[in-house]
């Protein structure tokens, strides 16, 4: 299909209605409020235009769809709504859109996330986005004078506040891997025995963290990054 136009008097785009379709352009007019589960399952879409009237994009609505670029103007984006999609760039109006955990899970080609830095975004919505490297076109990690990676000064607070409970997000994985090298190099020495090295690293971890009684069920306390971003 060349183009699909969904007029505003269509309240909801139904389950599997465009599953596996090949479409050059999908335009959803103002008025549509819901995109149901599997509506665009495994579809191939060159251009996707969504309205600001959207209230919800349901679980797996675009599962494994091939999409070039995506803009989410509003609504709740449920878990797995865009799981396994192929876009390299996602733009989100995070003052109007709410991203649920895992909404973009497994979008392993996603490199650039464009958001309003004045509004929060649920970083766990991007779990499994292993190639995520940029926020608003700016590289999140920079190489410091000490030869190790750190977060860009402009983005640092935003990343710590919004991505401290994530798993397998590209720039977080790179940061943790580099932090481990940095900590090992400053904590152990060549003249230590293996058991002394283990003790030294164990003590570093114990001195770094404490048990969060009030937040023991919060995801930020159950991910690898917690140890390395705990000051936030």
């Amino acid at each position: 299909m060349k183009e699909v136009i969904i007029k505003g008097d269509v309240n909801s785009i139904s389950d599997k209605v465009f599953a596996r379709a090949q479409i050059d352009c999908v335009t959803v007019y103002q008025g549509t409020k819901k995109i149901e589960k599997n509506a665009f399952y495994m579809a191939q879409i060159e251009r996707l235009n969504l309205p600001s009237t959207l209230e919800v994009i349901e679980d797996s609505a675009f599962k494994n769809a091939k999409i070039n670029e995506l803009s989410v103007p509003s609504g709740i984006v449920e878990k797995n709504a865009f799981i396994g999609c192929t876009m390299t760039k996602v733009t989100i109006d995070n003052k109007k859109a709410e991203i649920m955990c895992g909404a973009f899970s497994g979008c392993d080609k996603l490199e650039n996330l464009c958001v309003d830095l004045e509004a929060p975004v649920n970083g766990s919505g991007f779990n499994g986005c292993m190639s995520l490297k940029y926020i608003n076109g700016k590289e999140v990690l920079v190489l410091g004078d000490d030869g190790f990676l750190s977060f860009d000064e402009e983005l640092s607070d935003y990343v710590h506040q919004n991505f401290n409970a994530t798993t397998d997000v590209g720039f977080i994985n790179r940061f943790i891997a580099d932090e481990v090298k940095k900590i090992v190099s400053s904590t152990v020495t060549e003249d230590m025995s293996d058991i002394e090295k283990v003790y030294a690293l164990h003590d570093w971890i114990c001195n770094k963290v404490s048990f969060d009684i009030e937040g023991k069920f919060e995801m930020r306390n159950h991910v690898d990054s917690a140890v390395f971003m705990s000051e936030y």
Side-chain angles (χ1 to χ4, degrees), residues 57-63 77-83 85 102-104:
I57 301 175
E58 290 189 346
D59 177 1
S60 303
F62 289 87
K63 183 178 180 179
V77 183
E78 292 187 351
K79 180 180 179 181
N80 296 332
F82 291 94
I83 185 172
C85 289
F104 293 88

Side-chain angles (χ1 to χ4, degrees), residues 1 4 16-24 26 39-46 65-66:
M1 286 181 278
V4 169
K16 297 182 181 178
V17 67
F18 294 108
R20 295 186 171 88
Q22 297 184 27
I23 312 168
D24 289 346
V26 175
F40 291 90
Y41 171 69
M42 292 190 72
Q44 297 184 37
I45 305 169
E46 291 292 323
K66 293 184 178 180

Side-chain angles (χ1 to χ4, degrees), residues 1-7 13 18 21-29 40 47 49:
M1 286 181 278
K2 287 287 185 180
E3 184 175 14
V4 169
I5 296 175
I6 300 170
K7 295 185 178 180
I13 302 174
F18 294 108
Q22 297 184 27
I23 312 168
D24 289 346
C25 181
V26 175
T27 299
V28 185
Y29 281 9
F40 291 90
R47 298 190 308 280
N49 303 308

Side-chain angles (χ1 to χ4, degrees), residues 69-183:
E69 283 192 15
L70 174 68
S71 180
V72 180
S74 65
I76 296 172
V77 183
E78 292 187 351
K79 180 180 179 181
N80 296 332
F82 291 94
I83 185 172
C85 289
T86 60
M87 56 272 183
T88 59
K89 179 181 178 182
V90 169
T91 300
I92 296 172
D93 185 343
N94 47 318
K95 287 185 176 179
K96 298 178 181 178
E98 181 180 358
I99 309 301
M100 306 305 288
C101 179
F104 293 88
S105 178
C107 293
D108 54 14
K109 294 184 179 179
L110 179 60
E111 296 181 347
N112 187 15
L113 172 63
C114 295
V115 292
D116 185 340
L117 298 182
E118 298 298 319
V121 68
N122 183 359
S124 64
F126 302 90
N127 288 346
C129 295
M130 303 283 285
S131 298
L132 193 56
K133 185 177 181 180
Y134 305 95
I135 292 180
N136 296 343
K138 191 171 190 179
E139 192 158 0
V140 176
L141 294 172
V142 294
L143 189 64
D145 294 336
D146 60 357
F148 292 100
L149 295 172
S150 62
F151 294 115
D152 175 84
E153 184 176 355
E154 180 186 350
L155 301 173
S156 180
D157 286 347
Y158 194 81
V159 169
H160 278 97
Q161 292 164 10
N162 293 279
F163 288 86
N164 64 348
T166 59
T167 56
D168 286 333
V169 170
F171 55 75
I172 296 295
N173 283 0
R174 290 180 60 211
F175 171 74
I176 292 174
D178 208 56
E179 278 291 286
V180 169
K181 294 178 183 177
K182 181 179 179 180
I183 291 160

